[in-house]
Amino acid sequence: MLRSLVGSEMCIRDRYQRRVRGQMMLIERDKFTSLQDENVRLSSQLGDLRRKLVSAEAATERMALDLQESEDRAERLELDLGRAYDSHSVEMYRLKTQFQEKADLYKSVQNQLEAASITATTATEKLMAQTRTVELLQGDIKSLNEKLSTAQQQGSSAFLRKFGTQLDQS
């Protein structure tokens, strides 16, 4: 009778430990999967931001060239204006207006470029934080597995000592 109680208690204990271990592994796996998904999402956003940044830089370079060309043309027209003010005054006005519009557009693109750079930096920091969290979780999982293994070994040793003592008493 005593042996069957010890055996059934051992089965209950082992079943409970398997359940706890299984649930802990599922929880840790879900956390890890969630962090991996967030990592992928942030990496994708970072790639999108980098592509936008490259596109904005190319547009800025094109606008800078356009702006320089407009400035050069405006200078040439100002020289001509000194010789023939009346005939060129309308063209000068149009070029100055065009120059101002391009300058405003250049400033707008520059502001967008700065905003994209800040967003990319923030995304990179989030990605690095998520990576550190994943590394910590991996360490926690390893530690839990070691503790579980130790607990199982200690549990087996304690059972053998108890079982041996009971046999000696019989």
Side-chain angles (χ1 to χ4, degrees):
M1 177 81 174
L2 188 57
R3 286 185 187 162
S4 65
L5 286 176
V6 170
S8 66
E9 288 173 350
M10 186 173 74
C11 288
I12 292 169
R13 182 204 65 207
D14 291 347
R15 188 176 338 129
Y16 175 75
Q17 286 179 352
R18 280 192 304 270
R19 280 187 191 153
V20 168
R21 183 177 20 162
Q23 290 173 350
M24 290 295 289
M25 290 177 77
L26 287 174
I27 289 169
E28 292 299 322
R29 186 195 68 203
D30 289 346
K31 285 180 185 178
F32 183 74
T33 301
S34 174
L35 287 172
Q36 281 182 326
D37 292 344
E38 181 68 13
N39 191 5
V40 167
R41 187 183 66 76
L42 288 173
S43 292
S44 175
Q45 285 180 351
L46 181 59
D48 291 343
L49 289 173
R50 284 183 178 153
R51 284 188 291 281
K52 287 179 183 178
L53 182 61
V54 167
S55 176
E57 287 174 343
T60 300
E61 288 177 14
R62 285 190 305 270
M63 287 182 186
L65 290 173
D66 289 346
L67 183 60
Q68 184 62 46
E69 288 175 12
S70 293
E71 288 175 349
D72 293 345
R73 190 168 181 194
E75 284 179 16
R76 285 190 308 271
L77 287 174
E78 284 179 307
L79 293 174
D80 290 343
L81 182 62
R83 285 179 254 141
Y85 179 79
D86 292 333
S87 64
H88 289 71
S89 63
V90 174
E91 178 67 11
M92 185 60 148
Y93 176 77
R94 189 183 67 77
L95 284 174
K96 281 186 176 182
T97 304
Q98 184 183 11
F99 171 78
Q100 187 59 47
E101 289 172 356
K102 287 189 178 188
D104 292 344
L105 185 60
Y106 175 78
K107 287 178 185 177
S108 173
V109 168
Q110 195 172 25
N111 290 339
Q112 290 174 0
L113 180 62
E114 289 173 5
S117 176
I118 290 169
T119 304
T121 300
T122 303
T124 301
E125 291 170 356
K126 284 182 181 180
L127 181 61
M128 290 171 61
Q130 291 294 331
T131 301
R132 286 191 296 272
T133 303
V134 167
E135 291 170 355
L136 290 174
L137 284 173
Q138 288 173 338
D140 289 346
I141 289 171
K142 183 178 178 183
S143 175
L144 286 173
N145 283 334
E146 291 172 357
K147 287 179 182 178
L148 181 60
S149 176
T150 302
Q152 287 175 336
Q153 290 172 359
Q154 290 174 350
S156 297
S157 298
F159 171 75
L160 290 174
R161 282 195 304 274
K162 184 177 179 182
F163 183 74
T165 304
Q166 288 177 356
L167 285 176
D168 291 342
Q169 291 175 356
S170 296

